[in-house]
Amino acid sequence: MSSIPQIPLASWIDSFVDWLVQFTGFFNAITNFIGGINNAFQWVFDLIPIWLFIVLVLALTFYVNRRDQRWGLLIFEFLGLLLIWNLDFWRDMTQTLTLVLTSSLIALVIGIPLGILMAKSHVAEVILKPILDFMQTMPAFVYLIPAVALFGIGMVPGIVASVIFAMPPTVRMTNMGIREVPDELIEAADSFGSTEWQKLFKVELPIAKTSLMAGVNQSMMLSLSMVVIASMIGAMGLGTKVYFAVGRNDAGGGFAAGLAIVILAIILDRLTQSLTRDHRG
């Protein structure tokens, strides 16, 4: 009984990646662009004294929660950042924060227009939905392989992998937020002779801010979840400390670095949630 011939899927993908590698100039330009954004964030964080950075985070938290002040969060941020400083993880924390902010920024710049396109076009929604499902369900480790082949080793391939993994929530939440705008408001805007662009920027996006900010929150958390995985291809930060601790079977060092990641995650999560509440107000 003859067996069914195996589809050479892996060979096809390898051939496609090899074909992409030929465009080194294009990918070098992307590497330089993303690296420039990443280095700009890192330069700012290195420039700010640690004590001033802590004060700025506390001031931002106080401002965004001014209508419903949460002193417990302020105390947690103060003690958590002091702990990171005391454990000598500050530079690693800022490198991790740089990766998260850069990947989140790129995910927003790409994701929000795609979400708007999905909300305005049924054809675009039909095409993009399975692509977003693929991006979210594919194991994150798989993204590292083509990222290294196309962008080399370092922060940039880690950022690219994080963008792919973290962008779908922004696209989905933007699409959902715009689609949930009440028809009465759209009809009112039409009756006043609003153009499509005026309706988008003055009616739909302002009303969809809550959903949009929820997408921002989810994208940032997914980017942060990639830091340990990205450390496997040279992305510096707290993920590298955890990765090295695993290799050395250093439970204490791994837990300390993991705790620093948890503190950073909680601060980012609460800040973006507070911005959502601020928009509602």
Side-chain angles (χ1 to χ4, degrees), residues 236-250:
M236 303 302 294
L238 293 168
T240 304
K241 298 292 185 182
V242 175
Y243 181 56
F244 287 171
V246 171
R248 296 192 298 265
N249 196 24
D250 180 7

Side-chain angles (χ1 to χ4, degrees), residues 175-206:
N175 174 37
M176 184 182 72
I178 293 177
R179 287 182 178 274
E180 289 181 348
V181 175
D183 293 335
E184 293 80 4
L185 294 178
I186 301 298
E187 292 171 1
D190 288 334
S191 67
F192 283 103
S194 300
T195 65
E196 288 297 324
W197 287 104
Q198 288 174 329
K199 283 192 296 184
L200 177 64
F201 287 104
K202 295 185 178 182
V203 178
E204 294 171 331
L205 285 180

Side-chain angles (χ1 to χ4, degrees), residues 25-83:
F26 174 73
F27 290 108
N28 286 341
I30 295 178
T31 300
N32 293 333
F33 176 73
I34 296 176
I37 299 174
N38 181 81
N39 293 336
F41 276 124
Q42 190 63 56
W43 179 80
V44 171
F45 293 146
D46 290 341
L47 189 66
I48 301 174
I50 296 176
W51 65 268
L52 180 58
F53 186 99
I54 296 175
V55 170
L56 291 174
V57 171
L58 295 177
L60 177 61
T61 303
F62 184 86
Y63 176 76
V64 298
N65 289 288
R66 62 193 181 280
R67 297 174 183 172
D68 181 24
Q69 200 53 249
R70 300 190 172 191
W71 297 104
L73 177 58
L74 287 169
I75 294 171
F76 173 82
E77 289 180 348
F78 179 67
L79 295 178
L81 291 174
L82 283 182
L83 178 63

Side-chain angles (χ1 to χ4, degrees), residues 4 14 24 83 102 115 139 239 255 277 281:
I4 299 174
D14 287 338
T24 54
L83 178 63
T102 304
F255 182 84
R277 287 196 302 272

